[in-house]
């Protein structure tokens, strides 16, 4: 007779009240006291706790009957113990062979998703692919991908393409530079098949014109041979639009403002009635506070896309709750994909925070970086167009091949600057937040946050201009005492992406939400970027903009002025 049998005899006829609430408090105490000799009842509770999480407690209580058969070791009558393992009686499986192999397959798919750090939510999510060849699309599309140098799909492409190919609506969040553009273009091109002269059948909305142009280029490249007419609304053409203008086009890539301008005309001069796919790129940017009107614009665009089979795809490297809420309200049965950790910076960029003391320290620090040698192309982010202009005036006198891009420059100037930077004619490009989102400059080696970003989201996108398509890069972020409000948050983002930050930064007192919100909407006031002595400056506006007085003849420095961009 073993201890279990003794236990059974001793407790014959006794009923244990498992649902009794006065047993519960014991659980926590017992969980921590491993070496105590406990009564069978209490010990049983201990084992139960070890094998479950708190969430499972309800389920667990109903399962108690089977668990007491699993008791591994019982302490009875002092030291009499039994270590006999009583095996759980197996119930004959009711699963059919087909069901069993389906379950095994589902487990394998889940394992693959875990390995890819792919988190999906939604009903009946299609499987991710491993190779482009596995896609059920025409071979010309695969050839175009291969011609673009895309040998293997990136993680977001592996899952998002299959989801959209099945006609499912999608909200996708994947790191900067991870190929989200092709992830939505491939299924859109597949669904549209070829030109039909039915007017726009796909609309892609981007926050800036630069990004819209880049997306249009990628669309042309990936749809090569299909003969699609891919359109961007040009400023000049805004006045020339007529209701039939858009009939000959298939795909529209646009900013929300221009599209809504045309939709608002009486009667509307653009028709979106045949749109099958509406893609919102950099979705959270368009939902940012301050750009509230985009919600209204989106309503307008949605109403204009009156085709009842219209599908929506939302993409970004960062997501805010408002985007998720909007999707729940407006996208029936959508699937959500998150690659890696939500709202994190790319781990391909080596990130560093540099204390520079004050404004003057920033210029010194940047000059030091240049003295130590930089590998172009380099992007420098400042917080305003005025500061972009001020920094440009300083660096141009250092003989650096530099240019600046911001919203005060004409569209032609902006286009030329981007082209010259892409072609390597400009080495250092000073920019504002305008260029932080989506812009894909090949091989940016260094991003300098000259002015501290006003939010973690802004930081993630700025830094993400380097380290794209699997390449590595570097980011240096200057900070002064004025920037400590946001320092802790950004230090955490840097640490999360695997880079080192001093311990004290992670423990700086958390700032109030109100302060962080205020900072997000308005960057701090900063001293002018200027090393020219005051006597050489003449104030020209009450906005704090200055011009340099002409230098005396013969004293001019040897300067490389970039004429390409003009
Ligand atoms: N499968 C692939 N293989 C190799 N390169 C790729 C692949 N897919 C995309 N790329 C390249 O990766 C770069 C980044 O792609 P893309 O601009 O689409 O990134 P993104 O995820 O949209 O970034 P962001 O969040 O900054 O907008 C581009 O240069 C693109 O050509």
């Amino acid at each position: 007779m073993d201890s279990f049998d003794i236990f059974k005899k001793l407790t014959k006829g006794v009923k244990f009240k498992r649902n009794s609430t006065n047993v519960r408090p014991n659980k926590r105490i017992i969980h921590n006291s491993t070496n105590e000799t406990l009564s069978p009842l209490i010990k049983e509770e201990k084992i139960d706790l070890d094998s479950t999480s708190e969430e499972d407690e309800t389920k667990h209580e109903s399962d108690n009957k089977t668990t007491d058969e699993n008791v591994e070791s019982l302490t009875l009558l002092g030291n009499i113990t039994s270590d006999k393992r009583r095996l759980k009686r197996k119930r004959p499986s009711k699963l059919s062979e087909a069901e069993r192999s389906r379950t095994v397959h589902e487990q394998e798919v889940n394992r693959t998703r875990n390995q890819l750090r792919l988190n999906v939510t939604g009903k009946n999510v299609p499987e991710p692919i491993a190779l482009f060849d596995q896609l059920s699309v025409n071979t010309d599309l695969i050839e175009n991908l291969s011609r673009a140098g895309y040998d293997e799909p990136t993680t977001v492409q592996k899952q998002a393409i299959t989801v959209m190919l099945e006609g499912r609506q999608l909200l996708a969040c994947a790191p900067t530079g991870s190929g989200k553009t092709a992830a939505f273009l491939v299924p859109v091109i597949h669904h549209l098949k070829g030109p039909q002269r039915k007017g726009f059948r796909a609309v892609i909305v981007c926050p800036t014109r630069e990004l819209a142009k880049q997306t249009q280029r990628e669309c042309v490249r990936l749809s090569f041979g299909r003969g699609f007419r891919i359109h961007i609304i040009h400023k000049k053409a805004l006045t020339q639009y007529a209701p039939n203008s858009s009939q000959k086009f298939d795909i529209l890539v646009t900013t929300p403002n221009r599209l809504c301008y045309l939709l608002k005309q009486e009667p509307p001069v653009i028709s979106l009635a045949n749109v099958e796919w509406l893609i919102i790129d950099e979705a959270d940017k368009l939902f940012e506070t301050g750009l509230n009107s985009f919600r209204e614009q989106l309503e307008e665009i949605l109403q204009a896309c009156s085709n009842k089979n219209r599908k929506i795809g939302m993409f970004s490297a960062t997501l805010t709750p408002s985007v998720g809420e909007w999707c729940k309200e407006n996208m029936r049965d959508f699937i959500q994909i998150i690659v890696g950790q939500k709202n994190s910076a790319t781990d391909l960029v080596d990130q560093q925070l540099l204390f520079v003391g004050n404004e003057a320290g920033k210029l010194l620090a940047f000059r030091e970086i240049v003295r130590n040698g930089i590998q172009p192309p380099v992007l420098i982010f400042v917080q305003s167009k005025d500061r972009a202009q001020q920094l440009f005036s300083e660096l141009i006198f250092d003989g650096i091949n530099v240019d600046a891009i911001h919203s005060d420059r004409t569209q032609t100037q902006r286009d030329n600057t981007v082209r010259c930077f892409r072609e390597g004619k400009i080495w250092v490009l000073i920019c504002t937040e305008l260029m932080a989102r989506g812009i894909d400059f090949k091989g940016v080696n260094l991003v300098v946050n000259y002015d501290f970003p006003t939010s973690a989201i802004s930081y993630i996108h700025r830094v993400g201009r380097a380290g794209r398509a699997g390449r590595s890069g570097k980011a240096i972020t200057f900070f002064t005492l004025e920037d400590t409000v946001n320092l802790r948050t950004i230090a955490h983002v840097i640490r999360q992406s695997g880079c080192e930050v001093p311990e004290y930064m992670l423990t700086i007192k958390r700032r109030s939400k109100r302060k962080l919100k205020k900072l997000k909407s308005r960057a701090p006031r900063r001293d002018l970027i200027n090393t020219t002595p005051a006597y050489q400056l003449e104030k020209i506006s009450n906005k704090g903009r200055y011009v340099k007085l002409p230098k005396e003849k013969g004293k001019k420095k040897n300067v490389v002025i970039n004429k390409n961009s003009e």
Side-chain angles (χ1 to χ4, degrees):
M1 186 184 287
D2 64 21
S3 57
F4 190 80
D5 294 326
I6 296 171
F7 173 67
K8 269 191 147 179
K9 278 190 185 271
L10 284 173
T11 56
K12 198 171 178 185
V14 176
K15 280 186 183 163
F16 296 115
K17 266 179 105 183
R18 294 181 205 289
N19 291 335
S20 149
T21 42
N22 59 4
V23 174
R24 260 173 199 274
N26 281 340
K27 288 187 177 182
R28 201 142 285 144
I29 306 160
I30 294 157
H31 190 63
N32 300 326
S33 56
T34 46
N35 292 326
E36 280 173 54
T37 308
L38 306 159
S39 78
L41 172 65
I42 295 173
K43 189 122 190 178
E44 208 180 308
E45 291 287 348
K46 171 184 180 286
I47 294 157
D48 290 352
L49 241 193
D50 285 347
S51 61
T52 56
S53 69
E54 278 186 21
E55 289 167 13
D56 291 333
E57 272 183 17
T58 338
K59 177 181 172 288
H60 170 78
E61 296 201 352
S62 67
D63 287 349
N64 266 349
K65 271 203 185 98
T66 44
T67 351
D68 70 5
E69 286 174 8
N70 286 335
V71 174
E72 288 180 10
S73 161
L74 289 169
T75 309
L76 276 169
L77 306 175
N79 292 329
I80 306 173
T81 58
S82 161
D83 56 3
K84 252 194 194 172
R85 200 170 283 260
R86 294 184 74 89
L87 293 172
K88 192 177 177 178
R89 250 177 270 133
K90 273 190 184 168
R91 288 208 192 110
S93 167
K94 285 180 191 155
L95 289 179
S96 68
E97 196 53 47
E99 281 172 327
R100 202 171 304 135
S101 64
R102 203 180 56 219
T103 314
V104 170
H105 182 69
E106 273 168 14
Q107 282 168 351
E108 262 169 37
V109 172
N110 284 341
R111 206 169 304 130
T112 311
R113 288 205 181 105
N114 285 344
Q115 279 164 3
L116 293 170
R117 300 184 63 225
L118 196 55
N119 188 316
V120 296
T121 347
K123 283 184 218 145
N124 302 324
V125 184
E127 287 172 31
I129 44 148
L131 298 166
F132 283 126
D133 292 349
Q134 295 169 328
L135 290 173
S136 334
V137 297
N138 278 356
T139 45
D140 67 323
L141 202 41
I142 307 284
E143 279 162 21
N144 288 347
L145 286 163
S146 156
R147 209 173 293 132
Y150 302 174
D151 300 329
E152 214 187 278
T154 61
T155 305
V156 66
Q157 291 165 358
K158 284 178 181 170
Q159 183 66 84
I161 296 180
T162 59
V163 166
M164 285 178 64
L165 281 182
E166 287 201 7
R168 301 284 300 273
Q169 311 202 76
L170 176 69
L171 166 61
C173 173
T176 50
S178 64
K180 292 185 285 296
T181 316
F184 60 72
L185 284 178
V186 169
V188 166
I189 294 167
H190 169 79
H191 284 300
L192 300 193
K193 295 187 179 73
Q196 286 193 10
R197 286 196 160 262
K198 271 168 74 179
F200 296 118
R201 285 176 296 138
V203 174
I204 301 163
V205 181
C206 311
T208 60
R209 233 186 69 82
E210 278 73 14
L211 184 53
K213 267 201 140 183
Q214 181 183 296
T215 306
Q216 184 205 28
R217 264 203 312 277
E218 182 79 340
C219 191
V220 168
R221 185 159 75 144
L222 294 182
S223 65
F224 176 78
R226 296 231 172 175
F228 284 127
R229 312 258 328 237
I230 305 157
H231 184 57
I232 259 197
I233 307 166
H234 292 282
K235 203 174 182 180
K236 277 188 206 147
L238 280 176
T239 48
Q240 297 158 13
Y241 252 85
N244 293 333
S245 308
S246 53
Q247 278 312 100
K248 55 182 184 284
F249 297 111
D250 304 285
I251 302 173
L252 175 67
V253 192
T254 181
T255 55
N257 286 343
R258 290 192 181 180
L259 178 55
C260 286
Y261 175 84
L262 295 179
L263 287 173
K264 273 204 175 94
Q265 305 301 306
E266 262 321 318
V269 289
I270 191 167
S271 168
L272 304 182
N274 288 326
V275 167
E276 294 164 30
W277 277 99
L278 171 63
I279 306 291
I280 314 286
D281 197 8
E282 307 293 342
D284 61 321
K285 173 74 187 171
L286 294 170
F287 276 82
E288 257 175 23
T289 38
L291 293 173
N292 256 344
S293 58
F294 177 67
R295 277 166 176 266
E296 286 151 35
Q297 289 177 326
L298 192 52
E299 286 309 318
E300 253 172 77
I301 297 170
L302 271 187
Q303 266 182 18
C305 298
S306 51
N307 180 349
K308 65 177 187 326
N309 291 325
R310 171 218 67 211
K311 307 269 166 41
I312 303 174
M314 309 270 270
F315 288 78
S316 188
T318 47
L319 282 186
T320 48
S322 51
V323 180
E325 279 157 25
W326 189 90
C327 291
K328 277 183 206 151
E329 280 167 27
N330 297 283
M331 290 160 60
R332 206 161 51 86
D333 198 21
F334 75 100
I335 290 174
Q336 178 177 295
I337 299 176
I338 294 175
V339 179
Q341 195 147 16
K342 195 165 96 179
N343 296 346
S344 56
T346 169
D347 53 9
L348 294 167
V349 176
D350 177 27
Q351 299 155 62
Q352 194 189 330
L353 284 162
L354 192 65
F355 181 64
V356 289
N358 52 24
E359 279 307 314
K362 288 183 180 177
L363 211 45
L364 291 175
F366 184 72
R367 286 181 171 141
E368 183 66 20
I369 291 171
V370 174
R371 215 179 349 266
N372 291 336
I374 48 167
Q375 243 188 320
V378 174
L379 272 179
I380 309 179
F381 281 98
V382 288
Q383 69 186 33
S384 67
K385 42 202 180 193
D386 284 350
R387 288 177 65 76
Q389 210 49 52
Q390 289 159 17
L391 184 60
F392 172 75
S393 314
E394 286 296 328
L395 297 186
I396 196 99
F397 279 93
D398 285 355
I400 296 171
N401 192 1
V402 63
D403 206 345
I405 185 165
H406 50 76
S407 57
D408 263 3
R409 300 196 77 184
T410 65
Q411 197 56 61
T412 321
Q413 285 173 335
R414 273 159 66 169
D415 289 349
N416 285 338
T417 304
V418 168
R419 187 174 43 78
C420 291
F421 190 63
R422 285 192 198 282
E423 289 170 0
K425 291 177 184 162
I426 296 165
W427 295 347
V428 176
L429 183 60
I430 305 165
C431 50
T432 55
E433 215 62 21
L434 177 80
M435 303 301 280
R437 291 269 188 163
I439 297 297
D440 184 56
F441 291 126
K442 292 272 176 308
V444 168
N445 285 309
L446 176 65
V447 168
V448 177
N449 282 319
Y450 194 88
D451 290 336
F452 205 67
T454 53
S455 70
I457 295 227
S458 154
Y459 176 84
I460 291 166
H461 287 277
R462 284 181 179 191
V463 162
R465 296 317 99 205
R468 300 179 70 76
R471 291 190 197 91
S472 61
K474 194 172 176 182
I476 302 177
T477 302
F478 294 163
F479 71 99
T480 63
L481 282 179
E482 288 161 338
D483 299 313
T484 49
V485 178
N486 230 353
L487 187 58
R488 176 195 164 111
T489 323
I490 286 170
H492 274 282
V493 171
I494 297 176
R495 163 73 70 91
Q496 212 173 50
S497 59
C499 299
E500 278 186 22
V501 280
E503 210 53 44
Y504 80 91
M505 287 186 190
L506 303 167
T507 52
I508 295 173
K509 195 169 163 266
R510 205 186 287 267
R511 299 309 168 112
S512 70
K513 277 198 176 150
R514 196 179 52 83
K515 261 194 175 168
L516 289 171
K517 210 171 163 189
K518 192 175 156 208
L519 179 70
K520 212 167 144 187
S521 59
R522 196 167 232 272
R525 272 180 167 275
R526 298 185 191 274
D527 291 343
L528 292 175
I529 305 171
N530 161 42
T531 51
T532 310
Y535 67 86
Q536 280 191 357
L537 291 172
E538 184 185 331
K539 197 170 178 178
I540 58 159
S541 83
N542 58 7
K543 274 189 175 177
R545 292 186 199 179
Y546 289 82
V547 281
K548 282 178 182 171
L549 292 173
K551 292 202 170 177
E552 285 170 49
K553 231 181 173 184
K555 284 196 174 177
K556 225 175 186 175
K557 277 192 192 174
N558 206 6
V559 172
V560 181
I561 296 175
N562 202 306
K563 291 220 167 73
N564 297 321
S565 60
E566 294 301 318

